[in-house]
Amino acid sequence: MSDLHELEQRATVELQACGDEPSLRTWHTKYFGDAGEVKTALNGIGKVPKEQRAAYGKEANRIKEVLNAAFDAALAAEKDRAIERSLTADAVDVTLPGRTVPRGRLHVATQTLREIYAIFADMGFQVYRTREVESDENNFELLNMPPHHPARDMWDTFHTTTPGVLLRTHTSPGQIHVMRQSAPNPVRVILPGMCYRYEQITTRSEIMFHQVEGLAVGEGITMADLKGTIQAFARRLFGQERQIRIRSSYFPFTEPSIEVDVDWPMTDPDAVRLTKGTGWLEIMGAGMVHPTVLRNGGYDPEKFSGFAFGMGPQRIAMLRYGIDDIREFWKNDLRFLQQF
Ligand code: DAH
């Protein structure tokens, strides 16, 4: 009997000392396994003198029940504690801000181009793409600049090693492509794309840059149509109150030729910088398509007329956002690009 009580006490103390599930399992094997102490005690019942046997058996069974129940309780409690521990250890702080996934975006030049496309699309202009590698013929000759024409000096040119093949210096040769494809039907297109000039790279000039050319050819097109189109464009891009100013200029492929300024209110703190103090901002060259160019495009200048213009969207973006170095556009510095 006293052996039984000693067993009960020892087992209870050991059970209480178990700090995790493995030690509980070990305890269980020690007392309840095939060769466990509780089983051994129960098996030993036959060796007990006959008159004590009943009391011994009863007590051994009681201890078995008690220890079993204590074990089940301890195991359940340990499982609860384990869940508790893992919740604290792997705690998620739901109040922390999420990690944002970095998102790409369109280049500021592309954004500006798309704004320009949208405005002209609303006015019925189609976008027409033409080649960047051009013939001297399209880039100069058919635009009314025969070889050695002094106006060629306005465009410093990258020539390729193939004679007569160059990188286009402006988008104007696209006019020839469109007209030859469309004549004698009327056309109303914009021709965006990259141009190249063999120039010193400075804060104001790059060797590659975008232009957006515009061309409208049809019957009865006048300078008033050019003015109205440019004015509508400037109001959409720069604001409703915009006025435009037209100055006479010279381009071999237009007659008359003009340059267009947009007024920039002097109340804008940037006005002096943007307009060099004049209050006017130059945005494009333009004019009425020269009869020779119309003829080169396949239109009879007696019957058809047209207007054309050419603008630099990088310049427009620089003015709008206060970008003071044109080299930023192709430098690929994310600190610059992510601002737009
Ligand atoms: N091609 C000219 C340039 O690169 C810009 C230009 C002026 C285009 C007048 C035109 C135009 O279509 O009519 O400087």
Side-chain angles (χ1 to χ4, degrees), residues 14-36:
E14 280 177 24
L15 184 64
Q16 282 163 354
C18 290
D20 53 18
E21 200 176 322
S23 54
L24 283 169
R25 299 279 177 212
T26 310
W27 179 93
H28 194 259
T29 312
K30 181 176 176 188
Y31 292 100
F32 287 93
D34 286 342

Side-chain angles (χ1 to χ4, degrees), residues 105-307:
R105 69 191 73 204
L106 294 175
H107 192 283
V108 57
T110 308
Q111 289 181 36
T112 310
L113 280 171
R114 291 197 178 179
E115 256 181 272
I116 295 171
Y117 301 164
I119 295 170
F120 281 108
D122 286 352
M123 292 194 274
F125 285 75
Q126 284 181 292
V127 175
Y128 189 95
R129 294 191 179 277
T130 51
R131 59 186 62 181
E132 294 176 17
V133 178
E134 263 297 0
S135 62
D136 181 279
E137 190 183 22
N138 286 326
N139 196 81
F140 291 119
E141 277 182 57
L142 295 172
L143 293 174
N144 204 21
M145 282 176 279
H148 312 299
H149 191 287
R152 286 184 174 220
D153 286 351
M154 289 161 75
W155 295 277
D156 297 311
T157 310
F158 281 111
H159 296 274
T160 69
T161 49
T162 309
V165 177
L166 44 77
L167 299 186
R168 67 174 172 193
T169 57
H170 50 179
T171 42
S172 301
Q175 293 186 24
I176 300 295
H177 291 288
V178 182
M179 286 193 285
R180 289 193 164 175
Q181 214 174 70
S182 317
N185 296 314
V187 293
R188 203 190 288 176
V189 291
I190 53 169
L191 307 140
M194 198 63 91
C195 306
Y196 303 86
R197 288 192 196 166
Y198 183 52
E199 284 180 358
Q200 176 88 38
I201 299 174
T202 68
T203 53
R204 296 177 57 82
S205 60
E206 254 286 13
I207 59 172
M208 53 186 273
F209 54 93
H210 287 112
Q211 277 193 345
V212 179
E213 190 87 7
L215 176 70
V217 179
E219 288 181 56
I221 292 183
T222 68
M223 193 88 172
D225 298 311
L226 172 59
K227 254 178 94 172
T229 303
I230 292 170
Q231 183 153 40
F233 167 73
R235 286 196 173 144
R236 278 279 300 274
L237 195 66
F238 295 109
Q240 278 308 306
E241 302 305 314
R242 269 341 180 326
Q243 303 207 348
I244 64 168
R245 180 174 79 167
I246 286 176
R247 289 178 284 118
S248 75
S249 183
Y250 170 75
F251 298 100
F253 30 89
T254 41
E255 181 60 36
S257 300
I258 59 171
E259 276 175 72
V260 181
D261 300 335
V262 177
D263 88 298
W264 203 270
M266 293 305 275
T267 46
D268 182 334
D270 285 334
V272 172
R273 175 178 62 81
L274 293 181
T275 69
K276 299 196 191 100
T278 64
W280 294 96
L281 198 90
E282 186 199 319
I283 58 161
M284 65 176 81
M288 300 306 290
V289 182
H290 195 287
T292 302
V293 176
L294 280 175
R295 207 175 294 117
N296 290 340
Y299 291 88
D300 175 3
E302 294 300 323
K303 196 171 167 207
F304 292 94
S305 58
F307 66 73

